[in-house]
């Protein structure tokens, strides 16, 4: 039984916490207090639901992928279509929730970090919608990888600040966003994009993303599905925790998180739970890719959204408690899954989501007809087609 | 009775100097520390480099990255501390982040740091609420864990933090934001120190934003000590340990004028 975590100190088992400078501690305490109030506030929840429905496009469908199912010839595969949301990924669920929260707290400015650009676009969108000034930090390398998303954010009125320090990817963008927040904490809210960071962020991102699992559960019940597995990709882990959390006490349903195996688990990868050790980064204690000295290691994934050396603390806890299983697939396997879904179902998945799909190769043989396997299709792949073209070109 | 760190900051305006361990290399870093002490620094902070220094601005981020690239490790930094301890009586603190300390093992780090002659630790990503991650192990070895207050803290937190702090000094963050870049202080800094003064049993040191003699003097008008980091490391980068010497001397002169 997974208890109603986190505890009062923001811990999931031993993971989580608030390892941040004193400057932002009062802001975190204030955010926690305000959020715990709004969590039970009917009016706020109604307002949030209204935006998610009328603006973001919820509920998303639970789509039975017949041709993909037939390909495996076992259980029926269902896709939770977060890719159909406005801005093209699940990130908008959290961005709208946090922007509303920022407004309630009287903040006029928001900062965000982004890797693939999906969260940056979602944050810029929510800020445009609610009239907040928005600054998005993005690693230089990622800006190159995701040029179109950079342009989208700028069109939406956000300022995109390149981050050259460190490895120039999501990790460094997150550090810069936190530094900005520390400096401007009085008028600024930090819209973190994943279920990581200091308490209460893992809690509130999970709550805002749990709409994914709650809807899935209701839709499956209505269809009379017998779910045996729910699968989601894990970078920081926001779509995964949003899918897993509502199912946490359904013991007969296996929760499978899929990490970025990059070029292989014995080579460069970003499979934090599979290959990392517990450590402290960006305000929380969780699994971390680090060397023996406690220096954070550069990680690699073809998918910019999974290219992160940490993981949300609740996943670390689920892993240790055996509440979920975390596996990894390589770039090559993700690309194959990307092509397969596109060809069989006419759906181009985000490279991140393609990792979840790739796990079907090993998961499906262990399933039986009559069961339902649910994959969270966290985002659409339009942003990735250029990347995939380049990758396939290089392979030839 | 006052501890060694607090004592070094009492009776005159104190000067605390931060230098990144292993930057530009361990030999020059050691010369820089000894030069700083000779030029009038009362307490030394040795920065144990971390790959992701959340509280640091560009200058110290770069120094940290350069030191790591040049091969800085926790063991080498402890050996540096040990060598410094043979040559100076000035209090030595390690400033770092919790992850390198935890990776080394908090108990083991406390034991080896104490054996090397370290007097305390400064961990900017360990706020009051999370201190138990290290406080017990450090206390057992007689090491201080320095407490922070910030312009955002508010009187209630300041009172609680200052009341609990028993050794070392109160690290008062002059500004919100990261290390580096001067710009001086305002009324808010003065109010912060004044509030802390009501509750603290320890000297109060101002850091984050002291760039030169002028800002050091300004800090000393309210507080017991000034902490200088980025500006010093920038001097070290540009002009080696000799530049550190003249920089520290200029601050010392200004502080001595404040009495």
């Amino acid at each position: 039984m997974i208890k109603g975590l986190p505890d009062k100190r923001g811990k999931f088992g031993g993971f989580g916490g608030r390892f941040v400078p004193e400057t932002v501690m009062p802001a975190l305490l204030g955010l926690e207090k305000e959020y715990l109030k709004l969590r039970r506030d009917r009016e706020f929840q109604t307002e949030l639901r209204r935006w998610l429905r009328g603006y973001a496009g919820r509920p998303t469908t639970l789509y039975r992928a017949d041709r993909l199912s037939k390909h495996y010839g076992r259980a029926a595969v269902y896709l939770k279509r977060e890719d159909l949301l406005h801005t093209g990924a699940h990130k908008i669920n959290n961005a709208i929730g946090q922007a509303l929260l920022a407004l309630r707290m009287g903040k006029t400015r928001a900062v965000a970090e982004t890797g693939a650009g999906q969260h940056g676009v979602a944050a810029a969108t929510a800020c445009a919608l609610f009239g907040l000034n928005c600054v998005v930090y993005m690693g230089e390398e990622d800006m190159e990888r995701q040029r179109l998303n950079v342009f989208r954010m700028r069109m939406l009125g956000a300022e995109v600040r390149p981050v050259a320090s460190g490895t120039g990817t999501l990790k460094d963008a997150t550090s810069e966003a936190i530094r900005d927040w520390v400096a401007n904490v009085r008028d600024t809210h930090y819209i973190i994009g994943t279920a990581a960071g200091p308490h209460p962020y893992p809690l509130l991102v999970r709550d805002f993303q749990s709409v994914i699992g709650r809807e899935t559960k209701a839709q499956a019940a209505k269809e009379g599905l017998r779910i045996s597995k729910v699968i989601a990709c894990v970078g920081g882990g926001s779509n995964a925790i949003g899918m897993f959390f509502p199912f946490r006490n359904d013991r007969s349903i296996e929760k499978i998180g899929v990490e970025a195996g990059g070029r292989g688990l014995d080579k460069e990868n970003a499979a934090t739970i599979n290959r990392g050790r517990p450590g402290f980064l960006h305000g929380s204690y969780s699994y971390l890719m680090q060397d023996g000295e406690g220096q954070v290691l550069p990680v690699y994934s073809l998918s910019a959204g999974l290219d992160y050396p940490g993981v949300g603390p609740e996943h670390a806890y689920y892993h240790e408690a055996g509440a979920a299983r975390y596996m990894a697939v390589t770039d090559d396997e993700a690309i194959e899954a990307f092509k397969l879904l596109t060809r069989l179902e006419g759906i181009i998945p985000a490279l991140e989501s393609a990792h979840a799909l790739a796990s079907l190769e090993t998961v499906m043989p262990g399933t039986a007809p009559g069961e339902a396997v649910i994959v969270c299709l966290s985002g659409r792949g339009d942003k990735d087609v250029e990347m995939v073209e380049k990758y396939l070109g290089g392979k030839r | 009775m006052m501890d060694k760190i607090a004592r070094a900051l009492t009776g005159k305006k104190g000067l605390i100097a931060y230098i990144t361990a292993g930057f530009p290399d361990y030999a020059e870093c050691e010369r820089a520390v000894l030069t700083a002490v000779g030029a009038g620094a009362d307490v030394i902070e040795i920065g144990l480099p971390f790959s992701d220094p959340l509280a640091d601005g560009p200058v110290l981020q770069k120094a940290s990255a350069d030191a790591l690239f040049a091969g800085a490790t926790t063991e080498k930094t402890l050996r540096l501390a040990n060598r410094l301890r043979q040559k100076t009586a000035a209090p030595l603190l390690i400033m770092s982040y919790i992850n390198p300390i935890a990776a080394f093992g908090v108990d083991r780090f406390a034991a080896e740091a104490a054996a090397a002659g370290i007097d305390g630790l400064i961990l900017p990503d360990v706020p009051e609420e999370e201190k138990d991650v290290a406080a017990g192990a450090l206390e057992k070895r007689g090491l201080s864990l320095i407490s922070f207050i910030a312009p955002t803290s508010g009187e209630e937190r300041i009172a609680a933090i200052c009341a609990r702090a028993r050794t070392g000094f109160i690290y008062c963050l002059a500004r919100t934001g990261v290390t580096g870049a001067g710009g001086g202080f305002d009324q808010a800094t003065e109010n912060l120190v004044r509030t802390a003064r009501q509750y603290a049993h320890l000297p109060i040191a101002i850091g984050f934003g002291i760039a030169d003699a002028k800002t050091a003097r300004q800090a000393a008008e309210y507080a017991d000590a000034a902490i200088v980091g980025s500006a010093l490391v920038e001097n070290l980068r540009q002009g080696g340990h000799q530049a550190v010497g003249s920089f520290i001397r200029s601050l010392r002169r200004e502080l001595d004028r404040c009495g």
Side-chain angles (χ1 to χ4, degrees):
Chain A
M1 173 93 168
I2 299 295
K3 285 167 280 172
L5 292 168
D7 66 15
K8 279 195 175 126
R9 299 181 57 202
K11 310 267 168 146
F12 301 88
F15 298 105
R18 284 176 288 220
F19 295 89
V20 292
E22 166 63 18
T23 314
V24 291
M25 267 311 292
L28 286 176
L29 294 167
L31 177 62
E32 181 190 21
K33 197 170 159 201
E34 183 69 16
Y35 176 65
L36 292 179
K37 210 167 67 198
L38 291 177
R39 206 180 180 208
R40 292 186 305 267
D41 181 321
R42 266 220 196 122
E43 194 192 315
F44 178 81
Q45 295 300 336
T46 306
E47 190 184 1
L48 175 61
R49 254 198 310 275
R50 198 159 49 82
W51 287 111
L52 290 178
R53 273 175 179 280
Y55 182 79
R58 302 214 73 90
T60 60
T61 56
L62 184 64
Y63 165 73
R64 195 178 71 199
D66 284 342
R67 297 192 70 209
L68 187 67
S69 306
K70 202 174 153 216
H71 171 82
Y72 291 112
R74 307 280 170 128
V77 179
Y78 284 77
L79 305 176
K80 181 57 175 163
R81 298 289 308 274
E82 296 298 293
D83 62 316
L84 294 177
L85 287 173
H86 180 45
T87 73
H90 72 289
K91 295 292 185 189
I92 194 76
N93 300 327
N94 169 56
I96 288 179
Q98 286 207 47
L100 283 174
L101 192 55
L103 285 184
R104 291 287 182 122
M105 293 188 300
K107 308 285 184 184
T108 54
R109 179 176 179 269
V111 292
E113 82 295 334
T114 198
Q118 289 305 104
H119 172 59
V121 167
T125 299
C127 287
L129 177 63
F130 297 120
L132 291 163
N133 293 319
C134 183
V135 173
V136 179
Y137 289 90
M138 190 168 186
E140 274 186 342
E141 190 186 324
D142 288 339
M143 286 179 73
E144 185 53 41
R145 286 198 275 193
Q146 303 285 349
R147 266 177 315 172
L148 267 182
N149 272 341
V150 174
F151 185 64
R152 284 166 87 192
M153 288 184 270
R154 288 182 173 148
M155 291 288 286
L156 287 160
E159 183 192 339
V160 183
R161 293 193 187 159
V163 178
S165 59
T167 48
T169 59
L170 179 55
K171 173 194 77 147
D172 310 289
T174 304
S175 296
E176 263 331 289
I178 295 174
R179 289 184 185 113
D180 180 313
W181 186 44
V182 170
N184 300 296
V185 63
R186 290 186 181 93
D187 69 349
T188 299
H189 175 67
Y190 174 31
I191 304 185
I192 193 170
T194 194
H199 177 66
Y201 280 106
L203 166 69
L204 64 94
V205 175
R206 177 193 80 196
D207 282 0
F208 290 139
Q209 293 296 0
S210 287
V211 66
I212 301 173
R214 279 199 312 273
E215 268 178 26
T216 302
K217 212 169 182 179
Q219 289 164 326
K222 207 168 157 198
E223 302 260 323
L225 304 184
R226 198 157 57 77
I227 302 176
S228 62
K229 297 169 199 311
V230 293
I231 304 174
C233 64
V234 178
S238 71
N239 88 89
I241 205 67
M243 180 59 99
F244 295 172
F245 184 73
F247 289 102
R248 68 195 179 284
N249 292 320
D250 296 296
R251 287 243 200 104
S252 63
I253 299 176
E254 189 183 20
K255 273 71 80 179
I256 302 173
V258 186
E259 297 195 311
R263 299 193 169 99
L265 283 185
D266 52 348
K267 300 195 183 86
E268 298 162 282
N269 61 72
T272 306
I273 292 178
N274 279 279
R275 303 299 290 168
R277 286 181 293 118
F280 301 83
L281 181 68
H282 295 149
S284 93
Y285 181 64
S286 184
Y287 278 75
L288 180 63
M289 300 289 260
Q290 56 182 322
D291 67 13
E293 289 279 312
Q295 307 299 343
V296 181
L297 287 169
V299 290
Y300 163 79
S301 168
L302 181 64
S303 148
L306 302 181
D307 202 352
Y308 182 66
V311 64
E314 194 161 3
H315 286 296
Y317 172 66
Y318 280 22
H319 171 66
E320 293 226 327
R325 175 160 73 91
Y326 295 86
M327 54 180 285
V329 304
T330 63
D331 286 353
D332 285 343
E333 291 165 330
I335 289 280
E336 283 310 310
F338 177 96
K339 293 197 306 197
L340 188 68
L341 190 75
T342 304
R343 201 72 66 76
L344 289 182
E345 298 286 349
I347 298 170
I348 302 177
L351 274 179
E352 291 78 16
S353 321
H355 282 72
L357 291 164
S359 73
L360 293 174
E361 294 290 324
T362 51
V363 167
M364 291 306 284
T367 65
E371 294 173 15
V373 169
I374 293 180
V375 178
C376 185
L377 199 68
S378 55
R380 65 172 184 234
D382 307 47
K383 68 182 175 64
D384 294 317
V385 289
E386 196 186 338
M387 195 73 194
V388 172
E389 186 194 20
K390 224 186 279 176
Y391 185 82
L392 292 175
K395 286 268 149 183
R396 261 185 229 124
Chain B
M1 205 191 83
M2 235 184 254
D3 65 286
K4 185 177 160 193
I5 305 167
R7 227 168 27 238
L9 300 172
T10 307
K12 59 170 178 177
K13 292 298 178 181
L15 180 56
I16 303 173
Y18 169 96
I19 298 179
T20 305
F23 174 79
D25 55 51
Y26 277 98
E28 178 66 357
C29 172
E30 182 177 339
R31 282 191 289 272
V33 170
L34 294 172
T35 306
V37 173
D42 302 299
V43 171
I44 296 293
E45 292 179 17
I46 303 168
L48 174 68
F50 179 45
S51 54
D52 296 77
L54 210 57
D56 287 309
V59 171
L60 296 187
Q61 281 178 45
K62 181 128 194 354
S64 208
D66 289 353
L68 287 173
F69 187 76
T73 67
T74 303
E75 284 202 17
K76 286 183 200 166
T77 298
L78 288 169
R79 281 205 294 274
L80 166 72
N82 198 33
R83 286 197 302 279
L84 288 169
R85 184 42 81 228
Q86 316 301 317
K87 296 171 188 170
T88 172
L92 298 173
L93 293 143
I94 295 261
M95 178 154 181
S96 190
Y97 291 81
I98 184 63
N99 201 54
I101 308 293
F104 196 82
V106 176
D107 288 322
R108 181 180 160 217
F109 186 87
E112 295 196 14
I118 291 290
D119 299 291
L121 254 76
I122 304 176
L123 299 171
D125 60 348
V126 178
E128 203 64 20
E129 280 80 354
E130 300 288 359
K131 273 193 167 171
D132 56 6
V133 73
L138 296 178
E139 201 176 329
K140 207 171 93 192
R141 302 289 177 174
L143 298 172
S144 301
L145 181 55
I146 302 302
S147 298
F148 283 91
I149 56 170
T152 47
S153 298
E155 183 158 357
E156 209 176 307
R157 279 183 72 81
I158 293 172
I161 291 168
C162 290
R164 269 197 294 271
R166 286 290 173 215
T167 58
F169 58 90
I170 304 292
Y171 197 128
C172 173
L173 300 164
R175 306 176 283 110
T176 60
V178 292
T179 56
F185 313 112
D186 52 18
Q187 189 64 40
T189 317
E190 189 180 345
N191 294 343
L192 177 61
V193 174
R194 190 165 293 158
T195 307
R197 187 77 74 196
Q198 295 173 43
Y199 304 101
H201 319 283
L202 297 169
I204 296 168
I206 291 187
F208 284 38
I210 292 172
D212 49 26
K214 184 170 154 259
T215 39
R217 188 197 169 106
Q218 226 187 339
E221 276 169 26
Y222 331 128
D224 304 303
I227 306 169
V228 63
S230 295
L232 190 157
V233 169
E234 191 55 34
N235 269 285
L236 176 58
R237 183 184 285 280
Q238 303 291 337
H241 68 277
Q242 296 91 342
V244 168
S246 46
F247 179 66
I248 291 291
R249 266 191 301 279
S250 73
L251 299 196
R252 180 78 267 166
R253 264 199 306 276
E254 203 63 32
L255 290 178
D256 287 343
R257 254 179 241 160
C258 299

